[in-house]
Amino acid sequence: MTREEAMAKCAFLGLGVMGYPMAGHLAAAGHDVTVFNRTFSKAEAWEKEHGGAAAATPSKAAEGADFVMACVGNDDDLRSVCLGENGAFASMKAGSVFVDHTTVSAAVTRELYAAADSVNVSFVDAPISGGQAGAENGQLSIMCGGDQGAFDRAEPIMQSYSKICRRIGESGAGQMTKMCNQIAIAGLVQGLSEALHFANKAGLDGRAVVEVISQGAAGSWQMANRYETMLDDKFEHGFAVDWMRKDLGICLASADEIAASLPVTALVDQFYKDVQKMGGGRWDTSSLFKRLQSI
């Protein structure tokens, strides 16, 4: 491990439920961390808890940094923290690396990869999976796209909050892999919801059913971690429906671009739309079960 990797100067842009603990893991690993958040009081709270520094703009946060990490909301949010006089690219030093943990379109990733390259900055798309618990416990799965050299430099830094971190391919490959992740989750949650709904209608004990079927081919992370809260009608334990619909929208748009067929994903996206109409935009994704129970 190089001296830069052992003690890097880092910036972290975006302190939501994922970014706040991720930046904390960087500080705990011994890195010099400056944070930015659109609501500055959140950055001040992070600074008070973890040390480091809070900056008023992405540009100020990124000054002199070896690595700049971002975890914001969507394509436009990412552009806003990268571009313009207050954006990170305006002040990042030549040879530094920007690592984007936001789930965004591959198109904006490639756009910002080119913009970063024009100022001699490397750009790695590195979306994450593992939810809030994974961020808090430093156990995220990170799927990356970008130049091999930039990934090799950034990967030791990302180890502070990951259990697995892999480069899948060139710029945009990380985001396309995250789409595979969301496609798989959508189908799994709908399948689990239907199984529990069927058990309920058949007069079976859902917990007893899961105890048996989870030990066979039907078992999954979703089943192990969500079936009890689903049966208890509790849906504040994970990734929100509003965010899942944003991601599935990217999946479906990308599928059109590459001529992929996603009929189940399109259907589940509409089911999540139903959940939003029920007032469940902030419920976690397992609320597909609640939709079925209401029919």
Side-chain angles (χ1 to χ4, degrees):
M1 180 179 290
T2 67
R3 183 177 182 278
E4 177 186 49
E5 292 162 352
M7 179 59 162
K9 181 170 176 55
C10 301
F12 205 104
L13 315 177
L15 300 175
V17 295
M18 304 294 284
Y20 194 102
M22 290 167 70
H25 286 298
L26 285 177
H31 300 300
D32 177 6
V33 185
T34 299
V35 297
F36 163 80
N37 194 66
R38 189 162 47 189
T39 302
F40 188 63
S41 59
K42 192 77 172 285
E44 290 179 312
W46 187 94
E47 180 185 18
K48 183 176 181 180
E49 181 177 351
H50 296 286
T57 67
S59 178
K60 287 291 186 184
E63 283 182 358
D66 304 304
F67 300 93
V68 178
M69 277 67 177
C71 191
V72 291
N74 54 38
D75 287 21
D76 289 339
D77 293 332
L78 182 60
R79 285 190 183 96
S80 73
V81 299
C82 290
L83 305 176
E85 63 178 322
N86 291 320
F89 291 175
S91 65
M92 289 180 69
K93 65 184 183 181
S96 58
V97 182
F98 189 100
V99 179
D100 175 37
H101 292 304
T102 316
T103 298
V104 293
S105 68
V108 77
T109 290
R110 294 177 186 126
E111 169 194 328
L112 294 173
Y113 171 92
D117 186 61
S118 71
V119 291
N120 200 20
V121 168
S122 297
F123 188 99
V124 175
D125 51 300
I128 52 182
S129 181
Q132 184 175 349
E136 292 172 349
N137 296 323
Q139 293 291 297
L140 293 168
S141 297
I142 310 179
M143 49 221 86
C144 300
D147 298 339
Q148 184 71 58
F151 170 79
D152 289 343
R153 290 178 58 206
E155 192 270 339
I157 309 300
M158 291 186 278
Q159 283 181 1
S160 65
Y161 43 75
S162 68
K163 64 178 178 180
I164 184 170
C165 181
R166 293 289 182 272
R167 177 182 179 269
I168 309 300
E170 299 303 320
S171 181
Q175 293 298 344
M176 296 300 272
T177 303
K178 179 60 183 288
M179 295 306 101
C180 296
N181 185 81
Q182 302 306 70
I183 291 163
I185 288 174
L188 285 170
V189 176
Q190 179 63 19
L192 175 58
S193 297
E194 290 185 15
L196 294 178
H197 175 66
F198 183 88
N200 180 268
K201 290 295 187 181
L204 305 175
D205 180 343
R207 285 172 171 79
V209 169
V210 170
E211 182 182 4
V212 176
I213 70 172
S214 64
Q215 301 307 306
S220 68
W221 185 97
Q222 296 293 335
M223 184 176 288
N225 289 275
R226 289 289 177 262
Y227 85 93
E228 288 190 288
T229 53
M230 291 164 76
L231 292 172
D232 289 338
D233 197 39
K234 296 178 179 177
F235 302 102
E236 290 100 26
H237 297 86
F239 194 60
V241 167
D242 286 343
W243 291 113
M244 186 59 155
R245 284 215 73 207
K246 183 263 289 185
D247 290 358
L248 293 183
I250 296 172
C251 292
L252 295 169
S254 298
D256 285 343
E257 293 170 4
I258 63 174
S261 178
L262 302 179
V264 173
T265 303
L267 187 60
V268 175
D269 179 57
Q270 292 305 300
F271 293 160
Y272 278 125
K273 184 177 181 179
D274 292 341
V275 174
Q276 288 176 319
K277 290 178 180 178
M278 293 168 61
R282 301 307 298 172
W283 296 342
D284 70 64
T285 53
S286 69
S287 55
L288 287 175
F289 176 65
K290 190 175 183 73
R291 172 190 171 274
L292 284 170
Q293 293 295 84
S294 71
I295 296 174

